[in-house]
Amino acid sequence: MKQGALRLGVFAGPLMGTLFFIAMWPLMHIFPPYSPMLGVEEVAAHVQENRTGFLVGGILLMTAASIVWPFITVIVLFLKKIEGEVPIWTTVTALVFTFGQFTVFLCGLAFTMAAFRPDASLEMVRTWSDLGMFLLVIPAIPGTTQYLATGAVILQDRRARPILPRWYGYLNIWVGILSAPGAVVGLFKIGPFAWNGIAAFWIPAIVFGVWITATQFTLLAAIKRNALADDQQ
Amino acid sequence: MTWISKRLTVFWLVLVVVSVLSFESSLFGSKAAGAIVIVIGLLKAWIVGSEFMEIRSAPLVLRALFGAWLVVLGAALLGVFYILGG
Amino acid sequence: MNPATDGNETALRGHVPGEPGLWVLIFGDLLVFGVLFVTYAVSLVGDPDAMGLSQQKLSRGLGLANTILLLTSSWFIAHAVNAARRGSPRARRLILAALALGTAFVGVKVVEWGGHIGHGDTLNSSSFFTFYFMYTGIHLLHVLIGLGVLTWLAWQCDSSGAWTGPFAVLEGSAVFWHLVDLLWVMLFALLYLLRHGAAV
């Protein structure tokens, strides 16, 4: 089996995460996110001060959404191995994952739009920047479907030694349930469910960090024991 | 009715009775009412965990983690209530 | 894992209910709900008057009814686990009883939510109602997942009504259902009963 290629694929995951974080933190200064309560001038001033950061950050976000595919492919290969002939939930995972990464790509584009024209009206700058903030948090909605589908695949594995460990299946269900509150950010400008709040931002963000870390270790261990070539029934 | 577990039923009864009795506990109006509600809630959670989820006979790790959750949450809630809330 | 243990104290000693991996989900959920509970408590003491005013609009009676429904549902699923340990054909009936009570919980919740929305108290009309709808909503998501699992469990019983699947699957599902109960017990105490200051 192509273990080297698979391992390389896994590292697309942390690479995506790193680019994402560099874009948000030192470049755009939106980690932690700015408050949805900020006025037009304040948001526009933030974009103005970090114009280059926003433009380069936008490129990094779009790049992150474009280089993550080997990572996703490795996950999907293992899920397909588990599910076998009719890989329904594997396909659901793959499709929703694709959809979710599309929002990350558009997020980069929205922040680029916010910073692109220095003479744009302040309202316009804030509108595009707000769209960027939504696209940053909103992937939690498709994420819920994706994680629950992944969990369903892993837990239906009846092999004596499962292809992927069962605790990782339960972890996916946990991540899926806790990503769901990200869906309501449009309703609030303040409090735990606003886009900078504990329940809509911090919990999904930390839980995503746990997920991507656990996923790397789980996949690397499965590749090491050559689980794709496993012939148990 | 030999299929009915006496132990589970006793704890179920305790939980229901305590729930009904705690119904008006918030109306005591005293400083202690908040603590009573928090502690009773945690005690009920403890019974559900140790009796229904069978944590009481689980390995030490699970018992310790569950106990720690109850203690830390209880301390945090009471702390918020009586230190932060004055 | 041994179906013959029969709930016996010594036979169960040191046994991990369900399977070890499940406890990642259980403790993960407990941890996050712990954070949510404390977040709520901080808001409650931060603005006790406004929070208390909204809180008074809750129907404690419906909250109590739902508490008793879930506790009783837990009692049934715990007995379904015991029935499966004995290979008794009663398992399916007990699972269905737990399922019916869980469905009644959802019914009560819908009536309760409908009443508040009808009175103009919605998801973002006040800080308290945001907590109320969101926390009970996240909990309801757990209930719905649990009901799906219970339905699937009933399906797995043979024609006599005995449990035929792996024992750990039934036991683990029951643990998740008890978690739903445990979280509700805390939500009932914090959202419906806990008051702060003079707002009583």
Side-chain angles (χ1 to χ4, degrees):
Chain A
M1 289 305 240
K2 301 171 173 174
Q3 283 178 313
L6 289 169
R7 278 201 191 95
L8 203 61
V10 171
F11 283 103
L15 186 59
M16 184 272 273
T18 308
L19 289 180
F20 203 94
F21 201 65
I22 291 176
M24 281 180 72
W25 192 34
L27 288 177
M28 296 153 87
H29 296 283
I30 51 168
F31 186 88
Y34 64 80
S35 161
M37 294 290 278
L38 286 191
V40 177
E41 285 84 8
E42 292 160 296
V43 174
H46 179 81
V47 175
Q48 174 71 37
E49 281 161 27
N50 303 290
R51 181 173 304 283
T52 312
F54 265 65
L55 293 172
V56 177
I59 297 171
L60 292 193
L61 285 174
M62 290 187 277
T63 309
S66 306
I67 59 162
V68 70
W69 300 99
F71 177 65
I72 297 173
T73 305
V74 177
I75 297 175
V76 170
L77 284 176
F78 277 100
L79 295 182
K80 185 163 178 295
K81 169 75 183 173
I82 296 169
E83 221 175 3
E85 299 261 303
V86 189
I88 306 173
W89 298 107
T90 300
T91 311
V92 172
T93 302
L95 291 172
V96 186
F97 221 138
T98 307
F99 179 59
Q101 289 303 319
F102 189 56
T103 65
V104 176
F105 189 88
L106 290 180
C107 170
L109 189 60
F111 284 127
T112 303
M113 288 295 286
F116 184 56
R117 293 192 190 278
D119 61 343
S121 71
L122 301 185
E123 284 84 3
M124 212 49 151
V125 171
R126 183 168 77 159
T127 300
W128 281 109
S129 183
D130 281 358
L131 179 61
M133 290 308 303
F134 275 121
L135 288 168
L136 200 61
V137 186
I138 232 86
I141 304 179
T144 301
T145 313
Q146 173 207 316
Y147 297 121
L148 292 180
T150 305
V153 173
I154 295 167
L155 293 179
Q156 66 179 257
D157 192 350
R158 290 285 170 87
R159 292 172 180 83
R161 179 166 190 196
I163 300 296
L164 294 176
R166 295 182 64 82
W167 66 264
Y168 177 68
Y170 287 110
L171 182 90
N172 270 280
I173 292 177
W174 178 64
V175 177
I177 293 173
L178 294 173
S179 297
V184 298
V185 289
L187 284 160
F188 306 107
K189 292 186 187 63
I190 195 161
F193 294 98
W195 76 41
N196 64 344
I198 190 160
F201 180 78
W202 289 106
I203 289 175
I206 291 169
V207 158
F208 176 76
V210 170
W211 178 82
I212 201 163
T213 311
T215 302
Q216 285 161 49
F217 285 114
T218 306
L219 290 177
L220 288 176
I223 292 167
K224 191 174 181 189
R225 73 178 188 90
N226 214 352
L228 279 183
D230 195 317
D231 57 1
Q232 315 171 63
Q233 283 308 307
Chain B
M1 303 289 263
T2 50
W3 60 275
I4 292 179
S5 154
K6 203 181 280 176
R7 185 173 179 123
L8 285 173
T9 307
V10 167
F11 278 106
W12 170 81
L13 201 64
V14 169
L15 287 168
V16 170
V17 169
V18 168
S19 299
V20 173
L21 290 181
S22 66
F23 186 65
E24 298 295 343
S25 61
S26 57
L27 302 181
F28 293 164
S30 73
K31 280 287 274 183
I36 293 171
V37 171
I38 291 169
V39 171
I40 287 180
L42 288 165
L43 276 175
K44 283 159 72 183
W46 175 62
I47 294 176
V48 172
S50 57
E51 294 301 321
F52 290 176
M53 291 164 112
E54 295 182 337
I55 292 179
R56 77 189 151 90
S57 52
L60 181 65
V61 190
L62 293 191
R63 279 181 284 146
L65 280 172
F66 185 56
W69 182 79
L70 290 168
V71 170
V72 171
L73 180 61
L77 289 175
L78 290 174
V80 167
F81 226 68
Y82 290 101
I83 299 171
L84 200 64
Chain C
M1 299 288 183
N2 180 2
T5 49
D6 199 20
N8 178 299
E9 189 70 14
T10 44
L12 274 176
R13 175 98 18 232
H15 164 71
V16 177
E19 54 180 321
L22 169 68
W23 292 86
V24 170
L25 171 62
I26 303 292
F27 279 111
D29 245 20
L30 285 177
L31 183 69
V32 169
F33 267 91
V35 173
L36 294 180
F37 294 154
V38 175
T39 307
Y40 167 77
V42 170
S43 291
L44 186 66
V45 301
D47 191 3
D49 297 339
M51 293 286 276
L53 219 56
S54 298
Q55 204 176 13
Q56 278 176 344
K57 295 182 185 171
L58 289 197
S59 166
R60 282 179 297 140
L62 291 180
L64 179 67
N66 261 349
T67 306
I68 293 172
L69 283 172
L70 276 195
L71 286 172
T72 311
S73 187
S74 257
W75 183 90
F76 275 106
I77 203 69
H79 278 85
V81 171
N82 279 348
R85 282 182 177 131
R86 290 196 204 93
S88 153
R90 204 173 269 112
R92 184 172 51 203
R93 266 178 287 162
L94 292 166
I95 294 168
L96 289 176
L99 184 65
L101 291 164
T103 311
F105 175 94
V106 177
V108 172
K109 198 86 258 168
V110 168
V111 170
E112 197 186 344
W113 277 11
H116 292 306
I117 294 168
H119 284 98
D121 293 311
T122 58
L123 190 50
N124 58 0
S125 56
S126 75
S127 177
F128 177 79
F129 274 100
T130 296
F131 279 113
Y132 165 77
F133 278 110
M134 287 308 300
Y135 284 18
T136 57
I138 298 171
H139 179 262
L140 193 63
L141 180 61
H142 284 75
V143 174
L144 294 176
I145 291 174
L147 290 178
V149 172
L150 291 183
T151 307
W152 181 78
L153 290 179
W155 198 270
Q156 297 290 304
C157 293
D158 66 13
S159 56
S160 77
W163 173 254
T164 56
F167 181 69
V169 170
L170 175 62
E171 201 184 38
S173 307
V175 167
F176 180 77
W177 192 239
H178 295 312
L179 173 77
V180 172
D181 190 7
L182 190 158
L183 294 174
W184 178 256
V185 161
M186 289 307 295
L187 284 173
F188 177 60
L190 297 179
L191 292 174
Y192 292 76
L193 301 180
L194 185 64
R195 303 290 163 91
H196 188 261
V200 176

